[in-house]
Structures are given as C-alpha cells and as structure tokens.
Amino acid sequence: MKNVKNVIVYSSKEVAYYSQIFPEFQEKFSFVHYGLDYEDNHSYEGSLPENFLFSGGGSNRDYNTIVKAVEKTKNSLPFVIATQPWRVPKHDEKITVLDNVVVETFGDVLGKSEALVLSLKDVDLSSGHMVMLQAMSLGVPIIVNDIPSVRDYVDESSVLFYKSGDFNQLASIIDDLETIQRADKAKILYFNKYTSKKLMDRLIEI
C-alpha cells in the first residue's frame, strides 16, 4: 500500500477497522458513500406469490431473526428469501427460499414485493448496501435493523428501524405494514445521493 494514495471504504466503521489492521497506513483510509445504478434488470421467470415480503443476499445476513419474526407474526403475507438455502435456518411454510434469483433478476423480484426486510449482522464491515439502495431506487419500503453501517446511509425518515436481533419488534412491524410507508423519501434520497454518478463525483473530490 506504500504507493497507494487513498483506500476507499463504504462504511465509517471500516476506517477504524482497517486502520487497526494496517496502522502504518491509517491515514490512507477514506469513507465514501457507495452509489450504484440498477439498470440491467431482467424478468424473473420463476413463480412468485401475488403479494409478498422479501429479503435476500448472503453477506453478513442474520436470517435467524427473520425466521423467528415470521413465525411469530400474525401477518399472512408469504415471505420470500433469495439466497442459498443453507443460509436460512429451519422455517415454516410461510417462508420460501429461492436459490435461482441471480443479480440480473434480483431487482425484478425485489420490485414486486410489498417491502424489503433486511437483518444484518452488526460487524465492522459494510454489508447490505447494494440491496438497500436498490430497494430505495425502486420505491420499495425498507425495514432494517439499526446498525452503524446502515445509519451511514439512511435515517428514520427513509426506512423503519428495529433493534438488531429483536424478532418480537420485527414481528410487530410486519403485523402493521402501514408504519413503513417511507419509500417516497427513500427514493428521492437515492437519486439525490446514491447513483453511480454521485459516487464518481465523491471520488473525484478526494
């Protein structure tokens, strides 16, 4: 890293994390908000419920909390999870795990859902941003646990937070989906701040 001027990370906690690992280069680490365009979406050819809640992804996911919340909720909406089946604990029939949703069709499935539910592990590394920003771009309401790497990007005006690991609180939110209608503000935030062009603008400024 001796000849590298800047190392970009996508969450504020990662600056301290990598600075501890590489103390001699700690001044090189810079937190920059991530941004990405989601234009290459293809239609998902599989079967989906008419109305459903959705989660997906693999990195630093806590599907155990989601499974427990879905078991407890009185909401009868099916819950679809797009990930490898081994990542999801044993679950009841309300949950369907799809292992054939690829990057190109992920947005199609996400966009058809009633809401995105993210349960992320509270680690020092960034995770969940790509899925969360894609939901914002599509105007899909977001329920996500309250961790620093998410707070770097959104607040209560654009998503609905719940306490990490609190499946009772998450179940209560799922029971009353009207409380999550913040999608319009989240979509505006995405186009104002989190497109690929906005990311490039931030990188140029460094």
Side-chain angles (χ1 to χ4, degrees), residues 5 21 40 56 65 69 71 74 80 83 100 104 112-113 121 131 136 153 157 162 179 185 199 201 205:
K5 182 179 179 182
I21 297 175
D40 190 24
T65 296
E71 288 175 349
K74 300 178 182 68
V80 173
T83 192
N100 62 346
E104 291 81 7
K112 292 174 180 174
S113 69
K121 295 176 182 177
V131 175
M136 291 168 67
Y153 289 79
S157 68
Y162 67 95
T179 62
K185 289 185 177 179
L199 171 59
D201 290 343
E205 289 176 359

Side-chain angles (χ1 to χ4, degrees), residues 94-157:
K94 280 197 291 186
I95 295 179
T96 299
V97 180
L98 300 178
D99 62 359
N100 62 346
V101 179
V102 296
V103 172
E104 291 81 7
T105 59
F106 192 94
D108 183 52
V109 179
L110 172 59
K112 292 174 180 174
S113 69
E114 299 297 310
L116 170 69
V117 182
L118 275 178
S119 187
L120 305 169
K121 295 176 182 177
D122 187 3
V123 296
D124 291 330
L125 302 177
S126 61
S127 64
H129 297 136
M130 292 181 69
V131 175
M132 184 175 71
L133 295 182
Q134 189 167 19
M136 291 168 67
S137 74
L138 293 168
V140 175
I142 299 166
I143 306 168
V144 61
N145 54 315
D146 192 353
I147 58 175
S149 63
V150 172
R151 282 275 181 181
D152 284 336
Y153 289 79
V154 292
D155 59 23
E156 290 87 352
S157 68

Side-chain angles (χ1 to χ4, degrees), residues 5-203:
K5 182 179 179 182
N6 287 296
V7 178
I8 305 303
V9 297
Y10 293 124
S11 75
S12 56
K13 287 185 73 174
E14 285 182 309
V15 174
Y17 175 81
Y18 288 114
S19 292
Q20 287 183 346
I21 297 175
F22 306 104
E24 67 273 31
F25 302 115
Q26 58 183 310
E27 75 285 350
K28 295 179 182 286
F29 297 104
S30 300
F31 164 47
V32 175
H33 286 99
Y34 186 68
L36 186 65
D37 293 342
Y38 299 91
E39 297 175 344
D40 190 24
N41 287 329
H42 298 174
S43 295
Y44 175 67
E45 301 298 333
S47 177
L48 292 170
E50 184 176 353
N51 300 294
F52 61 96
L53 298 171
F54 181 69
S55 190
S59 176
N60 292 319
R61 297 304 197 268
D62 171 24
Y63 286 122
N64 188 53
T65 296
I66 288 179
V67 167
K68 289 182 178 179
V70 173
E71 288 175 349
K72 188 176 181 63
T73 182
K74 300 178 182 68
N75 193 318
S76 60
L77 277 177
F79 201 109
V80 173
I81 301 177
T83 192
Q84 297 94 338
W86 62 265
R87 294 184 183 274
V88 184
K90 185 178 178 181
H91 51 274
D92 63 25
E93 67 279 357
K94 280 197 291 186
I95 295 179
T96 299
V97 180
L98 300 178
D99 62 359
N100 62 346
V101 179
V102 296
V103 172
E104 291 81 7
T105 59
F106 192 94
D108 183 52
V109 179
L110 172 59
K112 292 174 180 174
S113 69
E114 299 297 310
L116 170 69
V117 182
L118 275 178
S119 187
L120 305 169
K121 295 176 182 177
D122 187 3
V123 296
D124 291 330
L125 302 177
S126 61
S127 64
H129 297 136
M130 292 181 69
V131 175
M132 184 175 71
L133 295 182
Q134 189 167 19
M136 291 168 67
S137 74
L138 293 168
V140 175
I142 299 166
I143 306 168
V144 61
N145 54 315
D146 192 353
I147 58 175
S149 63
V150 172
R151 282 275 181 181
D152 284 336
Y153 289 79
V154 292
D155 59 23
E156 290 87 352
S157 68
S158 50
V159 305
L160 186 58
F161 286 115
Y162 67 95
K163 184 178 178 182
S164 294
D166 192 339
F167 63 89
N168 288 308
Q169 184 186 13
L170 178 55
S172 296
I173 293 170
I174 293 173
D175 281 338
D176 187 13
L177 290 180
E178 291 300 316
T179 62
I180 64 172
Q181 299 306 317
R182 296 164 166 82
D184 289 344
K185 289 185 177 179
K187 190 171 185 176
I188 291 170
L189 176 62
Y190 167 79
F191 284 103
N192 284 341
K193 194 168 183 178
Y194 297 129
T195 62
S196 294
K197 182 181 183 306
K198 297 296 183 181
L199 171 59
M200 291 302 106
D201 290 343
R202 288 189 284 272
L203 295 175

